Amino acid sequence: MTVKTAETRAALPRVTTALIFAFILVGGALRSVEAGCQNSLKLALKNVWLCGVISYAVAFTGFAIFLTVALLVSTNRPWPTRADIRSMPRWAPFGGLLGGAAILAMISVASDVGAGTFNALIIAGQMFGALAIDHFGLMGFPRRAVSPKRVAACALIIIGIYLMATY
């Protein structure tokens, strides 16, 4: 299970890229629905920690079902070798825990600022974090220097947040 970098990846056909972008857009739209689900859970249970545990338990169950179905219907069953697991960065499995911080923020404050502003702030945080990751080539990503256009894109996101929050 080798981590592919930009140098080892082939360019994708435009149709494939368009489908990937559509998949990501749908995933992004579902974040707003998720915020509504989390808010309803918080209002019903009155405990943000319990809401987080329930959210992750449901997600874990869903992924376990997807994995079981995939194993039953697929003949291609790639599993990592021991060498793959040993070569994995020690920090790699903690992505779920970091996602938990985002879920906690969603449960705690999304209803206070609204789904639009909350998601705009999430996107801004992702963009600033992504700029740093790209600029320094962290976590297996190829280096992409911070450019004035990329900084301008982040500034436009901040303007968008202001507009979402005030109107």
Side-chain angles (χ1 to χ4, degrees):
M1 189 156 51
T2 311
V3 175
K4 292 184 176 183
T5 63
E7 294 80 28
T8 61
R9 289 187 189 122
L12 295 173
R14 285 187 184 203
V15 172
T16 303
T17 301
L19 289 172
I20 290 170
F21 282 17
F23 181 71
I24 293 168
L25 284 170
V26 168
L30 290 175
R31 292 300 302 243
S32 295
V33 175
E34 179 187 13
C37 291
Q38 301 293 4
N39 186 53
S40 296
L41 196 60
K42 176 183 80 172
L43 293 173
L45 301 180
K46 299 171 182 52
N47 183 318
V48 297
W49 302 107
L50 181 59
C51 293
V53 169
I54 290 171
S55 291
Y56 267 85
V58 170
F60 176 80
T61 303
F63 273 98
I65 291 168
F66 293 150
L67 175 63
T68 302
V69 170
L71 290 174
L72 291 173
V73 300
S74 175
T75 57
N76 181 16
R77 298 181 183 171
W79 286 97
T81 64
R82 285 191 177 123
D84 291 332
I85 292 170
R86 280 193 293 270
S87 68
M88 176 179 65
R90 293 186 191 271
W91 48 261
F94 291 98
L97 185 58
L98 297 174
I103 296 297
L104 180 61
M106 185 181 296
I107 293 168
S108 301
V109 298
S111 63
D112 296 328
V113 298
T117 301
F118 178 80
N119 282 312
L121 287 164
I122 289 287
I123 291 166
Q126 290 172 337
M127 291 303 301
F128 291 121
L131 274 180
I133 289 169
D134 282 351
H135 183 73
F136 295 107
L138 303 173
M139 306 177 95
F141 287 94
R143 290 185 74 149
R144 290 186 64 200
V146 172
S147 68
K149 288 181 181 178
R150 296 180 91 205
V151 172
C154 287
L156 289 172
I157 290 170
I158 296 298
I159 292 167
I161 292 169
Y162 171 77
L163 293 172
M164 291 292 284
T166 54
Y167 297 104

